[in-house]
Amino acid sequence: MKISPDAASSNDAEDMLDRTTLRKSRTKSIQDGHGDMDVVPTSWEKTLAGDRCCCCPSPCVGCFWGFMCVLIPVIIGSAVPMLKLTDEFGWQVVSHPLTQAHYAHEKLVVQDLTKVTSLFPEDTTIVRNRTAYNEVGVSASLLYVAKGTKCPRDKDKCDLTKGNLLSTRNMELIRKFEDKLYNDTKYQKYCLRDSSGCTDMMSFAQYNRLFSVMSTAYRSAGNCAAFSNIFPDSQWLPSNMDNTLAKDATLDMICNPETTLQATCRGTAWDQTTEAGRTAAATLVPYLPLDAATVTSYVNGSRPRIFPKFACEYKSAGLTNIKADGVPFLKSYLPFGFPVDRNVTGEMDYDEEEKRLQERYSRDFFKLYTEAAADVYKDSNEEMEVLVSADSIIGRLETEIIQYIDMSLMAFSFVMVFGYMWFTTGNLMISGMGMIQIVFSLGPPFLIWLVIIKPSGIQFFQLLSVFLILGIGADDVFVLNDAWNQTKKAMLKELKEGETLDINKLMAISYRQAFSAMLSTTATTALCFVFGSISGIPFISWVSFFAAMVVTFDFVWCITLLAATMGFNERTMSDTLCCCFGQVKPRGQCGQQGCCWGCVPLMFDKCKAQRDEEEEERSGIERVLSGPFFNFVNKAKVPLLVFWFVVVILMIVSISLGVGIADSNPDSMPKDHPISRRTDINAEYFSSEYAMSVNVFWGFQENPVKEWEKTNEARELNMGSINDAISAQGQQKILDLCEAPDNDAGLRCEAESCTVRGFAETRRCPMQYEISGGYNISYPATPSCNSGRNCIMELVKEFALQTGDRKFPVSDLSLVMSSSEFRNYLDLRFALYRSKGLAWKFRKEAYQYQTGVFFDSSILSSGAKIKHLWVSFNATFTCFFCPAAEGKKHYDKWDNFVKSKVDGTGQYHLNNIMFLFKVFQDRMVTEALTSMGLAIGVSLVTMCFVTWNWVISLIGTFNIVAILAVFIGTWPALGWKFDMYTCLFLIMAVGMSVDYTLHILHAYNESSLQTRYLRTKEAVSHMGVTVFSGAITTLLAAAPMFGCTMTFFNMFGTFIFLIILYSILLALLLLLPILLLFGPEGHFGDIWCFYALSAKMKRSNNGGMKATE
């Protein structure tokens, strides 16, 4: 159908008329009319006002309000019993192949290790008598620190010679401290035991016992005269540490035991064929076998754990540091045994044993060591302190104590917010229900999360949403309360004599006005968080989505519970004083509104100058903002705009020069906190108690996990082809990979410059051979020689060269490794290792986790095929969570090494927990910046839909970007860089910064006045007090967090405080000058299509109504 030009022009004119009409309807004057006083309340608005009970037309004052007061506690009551914290931190990037490979292999280990599909199945039939002895469980690490070194935190002032623990007094204090812990009757129940009772601690005192007994034995052997002179009978070294001769001899033994023993104790002292040698041996048997190699191995193995790394470094004078200056740090280890209940037989669940030990002994042990450590600190004249590290025993308790203190501080946030809200509104009921609305906004998200999304529990960081909603929720309370009060004042002015206030109409006008303002900010904030929930990092996604739900439900409770509270309060309690009881007195008299705050409101009213009636009705903040403050901004709008422009440019420069990726992980505690200090000292000066191992896997697809149970547990795996890896060529390449440390110069050493940690020479560790069961089995000639690897292919080669075709590679690796002959060979090998007293790393239990294969079916039946194979190497890096640049360097080094050896063996994966953290760091910054960019885009689009004006939307977006620039530009002054904490802050920043900007823009857009000056002034007059009060409450909520001990809480409080401070400052001092200079007037910037679509819908509705008629 053709449309005539006249008809088209008629439609255009009609659209323009509708556009003007629509704008007028959307921009009712807040000041002059507070909306249409002839508005007809809807049924819903009457329900909120208490005039009717939902769909029932009969009046029921407070019916709906009472219903909401019952409904919300029911929802909360349903959620609270289900509330639990998940054990998932959620930092893993579950979509990355490295992450998937780690948890896929872990799944196989847990799933298959007790089955006959494993090459080294666990023997679940073993029954152990644990009445007399038990197995190694966990240890408490006791770190002794001499005060005054300023190490390692203060690199410029660090002086390791300032403190010395090797004095008689300090040694006696250490012995006294250790005896108190060791002799505790409850510790004796849970200690690591052997046939003679609790085993000795690993400590410097243990060396002393050994060397004292050696002195007696050597003297009886007629040799080692030097030791006879140094250690008289019955003299224990801690009582004689100030004796230079005794100390130096002991330290020589510790730093270089092999040389010292050879130099001072030759001949018959080590010859057990003589009577003197046998006598010495008999004396030393309870401590260590009389064997120089064993003593040397023991001392060399334990020294890095007891003494700092620098203790035995030689100085230019030829003396060691330990002789010249002593040491400022020492460590001891208090061992605990599992199972906790000694009569338990069979296999143990070590996680359950740890929990059991924590439940039974953590509080007693915490009290015991804190009291003993306090005595050491006092008796040493505050020159020595003891830092105990026992995460498996008291780690959770320590954290709970700190969290309890921090949570107590943060609870004060609620008190401050409630106090300010009560003071501002002057109404206990409204402010009380406002706080209930805020707190209860957490209930439905908890319920939805625990029932539908993730029944395993709430992640800790999600609980921080309560501090976000303290500010956002209080802001909504002020919006609705201010709209109610402004509308009420306007309606009271228009009342004629004998008329009463129509509460239904009051509810309708104020509710509609506040609803649009709250909906715009809620939608923008919630959508910003929703887009943060698409992050590939689970904990960021969880926090963002949960925050979006909390913001949404706060809005829902505000437009239901709080709105109903306003109606109920107006009908029943508006003229009643809650605290003083009785009727409210006129302003300026005792008993006026707000009397619960003592004389403060009364003093304000008594001291103020005389004002006209209109000014009298406005609050002090409202008068200041719309009067002197607005006049200042109007006069200084150009200088203010220039000032903030310069500030934003400077902040951008600050970001480009001073903000980068953090070179260290964020601390959990302040730098001077004992937990941080012991962590730093251990990492800097002591060898790691756990060797970092890099595994190489074959048998998975590129993405090994098909389905996740949790972010740290795979449910179903994607197994791939392993044929290339187990082929003849693949076997040789894997063997070449394993033997590379023996053949490639510079690949293996103890320093971080190498890739593999171990024996520094480019050759194989010396081996010896022994015939067992017809096999010539190799074992290390020097147990302390570290090959740096655990490789099943080396065992296959040794077996293959003695059986069958006597060649390697084998033609069918699955057939060989599943054969009973190969299993018998492995049993003989491990039996030989045990008979030689070799370390745990050579035992079957170690091989179960460090190298091996898994089969697709039982190895007891024919046809079992290898589905998974892995080997492992010791790594030279020591950090579990390396900084980003360092982590990338280590990963690239390992990736290049492995790729150069096994290219062509099919799909393989590298695995180490540090590599997973490296992936997280790589993704973290990208995710944060992407989420922030998406949130800014969402804000722009949302503001367009809310205001129907692209100019206003662009102005608002510019202000939000300026807020973010100023916030991030402050980071260098705070010492912040991109890390896991600050990236989370960035994702939250847009949602936190949008509210005040959008409130003012919404008020500007709703104004029916024509000039930008009048529209801006009206926006400030009627929305300025709301945004100011909202900012104050959020700042008050954040302030107590400055006193928190945990670094994250402290930083989180700083983040909230700064982002809100900058948001209110720029909303009032940048956004207002921009509106005064460039704010749209008339129809400029209107998004015509929105108006046209609205007009079309209106015509369509009118046509439908006529047709119905």
Side-chain angles (χ1 to χ4, degrees):
M1 181 180 69
K2 295 183 179 180
I3 300 177
S4 66
D6 291 340
S9 61
S10 175
N11 285 339
D12 289 342
E14 185 176 352
D15 284 345
M16 181 59 71
L17 180 61
D18 285 337
R19 179 179 173 187
T20 304
T21 304
L22 284 168
R23 165 162 281 284
K24 287 181 179 179
S25 69
R26 294 186 75 250
T27 56
K28 300 167 185 175
S29 171
I30 299 173
Q31 182 178 8
D32 296 333
H34 291 276
D36 185 2
M37 292 301 178
D38 295 327
V39 66
V40 178
T42 63
S43 298
W44 171 246
E45 289 162 347
K46 290 180 180 179
T47 299
L48 293 175
D51 188 50
R52 58 184 293 164
C53 179
C54 300
C55 298
C56 179
S58 60
C60 182
V61 176
C63 176
F64 181 74
W65 177 77
F67 169 74
M68 291 298 299
C69 289
V70 172
L71 173 64
I72 295 180
V74 169
I75 296 175
I76 298 295
S78 302
V80 168
M82 303 173 62
L83 184 60
K84 58 182 178 181
L85 289 176
T86 180
D87 60 352
E88 299 176 75
F89 186 87
W91 60 268
Q92 303 91 338
V93 183
V94 294
S95 61
H96 199 281
L98 283 177
T99 305
Q100 295 191 16
H102 176 87
Y103 290 103
H105 177 70
E106 193 173 88
K107 170 74 172 177
L108 285 178
V109 170
V110 172
Q111 171 182 286
D112 287 8
L113 199 56
T114 58
K115 301 178 182 178
V116 288
T117 54
S118 168
L119 183 61
F120 306 118
E122 288 183 342
D123 190 349
T124 57
T125 63
I126 296 176
V127 177
R128 297 178 173 89
N129 176 15
R130 295 187 172 110
T131 303
Y133 68 92
N134 51 16
E135 300 177 16
V136 176
V138 294
S139 293
S141 170
L142 316 176
L143 175 63
Y144 305 100
V145 179
K147 302 295 287 290
T149 63
K150 300 186 182 299
C151 300
R153 284 284 182 169
D154 194 338
K155 299 294 185 183
D156 296 331
K157 298 180 180 179
C158 174
D159 186 352
L160 294 169
T161 66
K162 288 291 186 182
N164 178 25
L165 298 177
L166 301 182
S167 67
T168 298
R169 183 197 68 177
N170 290 341
M171 285 288 100
E172 288 291 352
L173 289 175
I174 290 174
R175 183 178 65 174
K176 181 179 177 182
F177 174 80
E178 292 180 357
D179 286 347
K180 187 169 184 178
L181 268 56
Y182 185 84
N183 295 325
D184 178 55
T185 54
K186 290 189 176 180
Y187 169 73
Q188 296 288 317
K189 291 173 57 178
Y190 306 118
C191 65
L192 178 64
R193 303 177 63 84
D194 56 23
S195 57
S196 61
C198 292
T199 59
D200 286 339
M201 297 174 59
M202 178 184 287
S203 68
F204 185 61
Q206 192 176 31
Y207 289 141
N208 299 332
R209 295 188 184 96
L210 172 64
F211 298 155
S212 297
V213 173
M214 285 171 64
S215 171
T216 303
Y218 298 155
R219 184 167 46 257
S220 68
N223 292 287
C224 303
F227 274 86
S228 300
N229 295 329
I230 293 171
F231 300 107
D233 289 333
S234 304
Q235 188 168 42
W236 196 23
L237 187 59
S239 301
N240 200 28
M241 281 304 291
D242 293 332
N243 181 318
T244 304
L245 186 63
K247 181 181 72 173
D248 288 354
T250 303
L251 301 181
D252 277 337
M253 276 289 298
I254 291 170
C255 287
N256 199 349
E258 187 171 7
T259 303
T260 305
L261 288 171
Q262 291 175 352
T264 60
C265 302
R266 298 174 184 271
T268 57
W270 299 104
D271 184 1
Q272 298 187 42
T273 61
T274 67
E275 183 177 354
R278 286 192 293 272
T279 302
T283 306
L284 284 173
V285 161
Y287 295 88
L288 286 172
L290 188 59
D291 178 88
T294 304
V295 174
T296 300
S297 178
Y298 169 76
V299 173
N300 284 340
S302 59
R303 181 183 59 242
R305 300 185 63 187
I306 295 175
F307 285 89
K309 298 174 183 178
F310 59 81
C312 293
E313 293 176 355
Y314 281 87
K315 287 186 172 182
S316 58
L319 298 175
T320 59
N321 280 348
I322 199 171
K323 282 187 180 181
D325 306 309
V327 286
F329 313 119
L330 280 175
K331 289 181 73 174
S332 297
Y333 296 87
L334 188 69
F336 292 82
F338 286 165
V340 172
D341 296 318
R342 297 181 194 167
N343 58 350
V344 174
T345 59
E347 294 303 310
M348 292 183 298
D349 185 329
Y350 274 76
D351 290 337
E352 289 300 318
E353 292 299 324
E354 278 192 16
K355 292 178 182 177
R356 198 169 287 121
L357 181 60
Q358 289 174 3
E359 291 170 358
R360 299 187 185 181
Y361 192 49
S362 62
R363 295 187 181 276
D364 291 328
F365 182 67
F366 182 80
K367 181 180 180 182
L368 176 68
Y369 96 74
T370 50
E371 291 176 353
D375 291 339
V376 170
Y377 188 67
K378 178 182 177 182
D379 295 340
S380 66
N381 297 324
E382 302 183 358
E383 294 176 4
M384 178 172 64
E385 61 179 335
V386 187
L387 306 177
V388 177
S389 176
D391 290 343
S392 300
I393 308 167
I394 59 170
R396 181 178 298 178
L397 179 61
E398 280 185 315
T399 303
E400 286 177 353
I401 292 172
I402 295 170
Q403 287 179 345
Y404 176 79
I405 295 172
D406 285 355
M407 287 296 181
S408 299
L409 281 173
M410 291 188 286
F412 191 57
S413 300
F414 285 84
V415 177
M416 296 180 70
V417 170
F418 172 65
Y420 181 80
M421 190 183 296
W422 186 9
F423 178 78
T424 303
T425 61
N427 191 301
L428 177 61
M429 183 176 187
I430 292 175
S431 55
M433 293 306 293
M435 291 302 297
I436 290 174
Q437 162 212 317
I438 292 170
V439 175
F440 282 5
S441 63
L442 296 169
F446 280 149
L447 198 59
I448 293 171
W449 187 269
L450 294 170
V451 173
I452 300 175
I453 301 176
K454 202 167 185 63
S456 60
I458 294 288
Q459 208 267 353
F460 173 74
F461 288 111
Q462 290 173 275
L463 299 178
L464 298 174
S465 300
V466 68
F467 297 99
L468 301 180
I469 207 60
L470 267 177
I472 296 172
D475 181 63
D476 288 345
V477 172
F478 288 125
V479 169
L480 184 56
N481 183 69
D482 290 345
W484 184 276
N485 290 334
Q486 292 168 6
T487 305
K488 182 179 178 180
K489 291 175 184 176
M491 291 181 67
L492 288 173
K493 285 183 182 179
E494 297 187 4
L495 285 180
K496 297 178 181 178
E497 187 175 352
E499 292 181 342
T500 59
L501 183 66
D502 188 340
I503 298 178
N504 291 342
K505 187 178 292 186
L506 171 60
M507 173 63 74
I509 297 172
S510 59
Y511 186 77
R512 295 176 192 182
Q513 177 187 318
F515 185 92
S516 61
M518 292 187 297
L519 178 62
S520 61
T521 55
T522 298
T524 306
T525 304
L527 284 173
C528 288
F529 285 128
V530 166
F531 274 85
S533 67
I534 66 175
S535 170
I537 300 175
F539 93 89
I540 292 178
S541 175
W542 299 342
V543 170
S544 299
F545 187 74
F546 192 80
M549 287 197 294
V550 171
V551 170
T552 302
F553 276 99
D554 174 76
F555 171 73
V556 171
W557 296 148
C558 190
I559 62 174
T560 53
L561 174 64
L562 188 64
T565 301
M566 304 292 289
F568 180 75
N569 178 73
E570 188 66 36
R571 288 185 183 276
T572 61
M573 304 179 67
S574 61
D575 295 328
T576 303
L577 294 175
C578 293
C579 291
C580 304
F581 303 102
Q583 295 297 310
V584 176
K585 299 296 191 297
R587 296 183 67 173
Q589 297 182 20
C590 184
Q592 69 174 53
Q593 190 173 25
C595 74
C596 294
W597 280 94
C599 298
V600 177
L602 179 62
M603 290 169 58
F604 283 168
D605 288 322
K606 287 291 186 181
C607 297
K608 65 189 179 184
Q610 292 294 322
R611 301 183 181 91
D612 57 33
E613 185 179 349
E614 182 177 351
E615 283 291 300
E616 188 73 23
E617 293 175 351
R618 302 168 69 189
S619 68
I621 297 176
E622 188 177 349
R623 288 193 297 269
V624 171
L625 289 175
S626 61
F629 175 77
F630 180 77
N631 293 335
F632 163 75
V633 172
N634 183 49
K635 291 179 181 178
K637 53 183 177 290
V638 174
L640 283 172
L641 190 60
V642 172
F643 169 78
W644 284 111
F645 179 79
V646 172
V647 168
V648 170
I649 295 298
L650 291 176
M651 290 300 178
I652 293 174
V653 173
S654 173
I655 294 170
S656 61
L657 297 179
V659 178
I661 298 176
D663 57 3
S664 62
N665 304 311
D667 298 312
S668 60
M669 301 290 172
K671 293 181 179 181
D672 58 349
H673 192 276
I675 292 179
S676 293
R677 293 177 56 235
R678 78 187 183 205
T679 301
D680 293 338
I681 292 171
N682 280 324
E684 185 77 16
Y685 299 121
F686 288 89
S687 296
S688 174
E689 298 175 25
Y690 307 98
M692 296 296 286
S693 178
V694 174
N695 297 317
V696 188
F697 303 145
W698 288 267
F700 294 132
Q701 294 182 20
E702 181 179 359
N703 292 301
V705 176
K706 190 174 191 177
E707 185 179 354
W708 290 92
E709 183 75 31
K710 298 188 292 185
T711 57
N712 55 2
E713 182 181 336
R715 174 182 293 170
E716 189 174 349
L717 307 182
N718 287 320
M719 303 304 299
S721 173
I722 200 172
N723 293 334
D724 290 338
I726 64 176
S727 67
Q729 183 183 22
Q731 294 172 49
Q732 187 60 54
K733 287 190 173 185
I734 293 173
L735 182 65
D736 292 342
L737 172 70
C738 295
E739 294 180 343
D742 298 338
N743 303 321
D744 297 355
L747 183 63
R748 180 180 60 200
C749 67
E750 293 291 334
E752 204 169 277
S753 57
C754 297
T755 303
V756 180
R757 180 183 296 277
F759 183 46
E761 298 183 28
T762 309
R763 61 184 177 90
R764 191 182 184 190
C765 287
M767 305 296 288
Q768 293 183 357
Y769 293 84
E770 186 169 309
I771 301 296
S772 178
Y775 296 103
N776 192 22
I777 299 176
S778 62
Y779 64 93
T782 307
S784 60
C785 182
N786 184 1
S787 67
R789 64 181 179 269
N790 290 280
C791 181
I792 190 64
M793 206 61 72
E794 291 181 299
L795 305 188
V796 172
K797 179 182 178 181
E798 182 172 289
F799 171 79
L801 293 179
Q802 301 182 58
T803 58
D805 296 336
R806 297 182 183 276
K807 67 177 184 179
F808 179 86
V810 299
S811 58
D812 189 337
L813 186 63
S814 295
L815 181 63
V816 170
M817 297 186 73
S818 62
S819 67
S820 58
E821 292 83 357
F822 185 66
R823 297 199 306 275
N824 180 52
Y825 159 78
L826 292 177
D827 290 340
L828 292 170
R829 169 180 282 273
F830 294 129
L832 177 63
Y833 287 173
R834 284 193 297 271
S835 70
K836 297 296 181 181
L838 294 177
W840 183 85
K841 66 181 180 179
F842 297 106
R843 307 286 178 84
K844 174 184 174 180
E845 291 80 5
Y847 273 76
Q848 285 178 322
Y849 297 97
Q850 295 170 349
T851 186
V853 296
F854 289 119
F855 295 89
D856 61 0
S857 60
S858 171
I859 57 176
L860 301 180
S861 60
S862 60
K865 299 295 183 183
I866 295 174
K867 67 176 181 180
H868 183 62
L869 181 150
W870 79 100
V871 298
S872 65
F873 296 86
N874 294 337
T876 53
F877 59 82
T878 57
C879 47
F880 280 96
F881 303 110
C882 296
E886 186 180 350
K888 184 179 186 306
K889 179 188 72 174
H890 293 314
Y891 175 79
D892 291 344
K893 182 192 292 186
W894 274 97
D895 188 40
N896 293 334
F897 160 55
V898 174
K899 187 181 295 183
S900 68
K901 300 296 181 182
V902 301
D903 192 28
T905 59
Q907 182 69 54
Y908 68 89
H909 295 84
L910 292 179
N911 173 60
N912 179 276
I913 191 70
M914 188 274 289
F915 295 164
L916 273 62
F917 192 69
K918 175 256 180 193
V919 170
F920 166 69
Q921 289 178 309
D922 290 344
R923 186 71 65 86
M924 177 177 59
V925 177
T926 304
E927 293 279 354
L929 296 177
T930 301
S931 297
M932 187 174 67
L934 286 172
I936 292 172
V938 167
S939 300
L940 175 61
V941 173
T942 306
M943 282 188 282
C944 287
F945 276 99
V946 168
T947 64
W948 292 11
N949 189 290
W950 61 267
V951 175
I952 292 177
S953 300
L954 286 178
I955 290 174
T957 304
F958 173 78
N959 199 63
I960 292 170
V961 171
I963 293 169
L964 296 174
V966 175
F967 169 63
I968 303 174
T970 312
W971 285 12
L974 299 172
W976 290 8
K977 292 190 176 183
F978 284 110
D979 58 34
M980 61 189 301
Y981 294 167
T982 55
C983 286
L984 178 62
F985 300 160
L986 275 186
I987 293 171
M988 295 181 173
V990 179
M992 292 289 292
S993 62
V994 71
D995 275 19
Y996 309 135
T997 296
L998 194 51
H999 275 316
I1000 291 175
L1001 291 176
H1002 183 267
Y1004 181 94
N1005 189 62
E1006 293 291 298
S1007 174
S1008 62
L1009 302 176
Q1010 295 302 310
T1011 67
R1012 58 175 63 100
Y1013 171 82
L1014 293 176
R1015 295 176 71 178
T1016 304
K1017 185 173 183 179
E1018 186 176 49
V1020 173
S1021 176
H1022 295 284
M1023 194 53 71
V1025 65
T1026 301
V1027 298
F1028 183 81
S1029 296
I1032 292 296
T1033 53
T1034 312
L1035 294 175
L1036 289 174
M1041 299 177 73
F1042 294 158
C1044 290
T1045 301
M1046 299 185 73
T1047 302
F1048 177 78
F1049 288 153
N1050 192 282
M1051 290 180 65
F1052 189 68
T1054 303
F1055 155 67
I1056 294 178
F1057 191 91
L1058 288 180
I1059 198 69
I1060 295 301
L1061 179 64
Y1062 295 149
S1063 296
I1064 190 64
L1065 286 177
L1066 271 76
L1068 296 177
L1069 297 176
L1070 175 60
L1071 181 61
L1072 293 184
I1074 293 176
L1075 290 175
L1076 286 167
L1077 291 169
F1078 308 110
E1081 295 179 331
H1083 294 295
F1084 183 74
D1086 286 350
I1087 303 176
W1088 181 83
C1089 60
F1090 288 172
Y1091 288 96
L1093 180 62
S1094 179
K1096 185 175 182 180
M1097 293 175 63
K1098 183 178 179 181
R1099 288 195 299 271
S1100 176
N1101 291 336
N1102 290 338
M1105 291 175 64
K1106 291 178 181 178
T1108 302
E1109 292 172 358

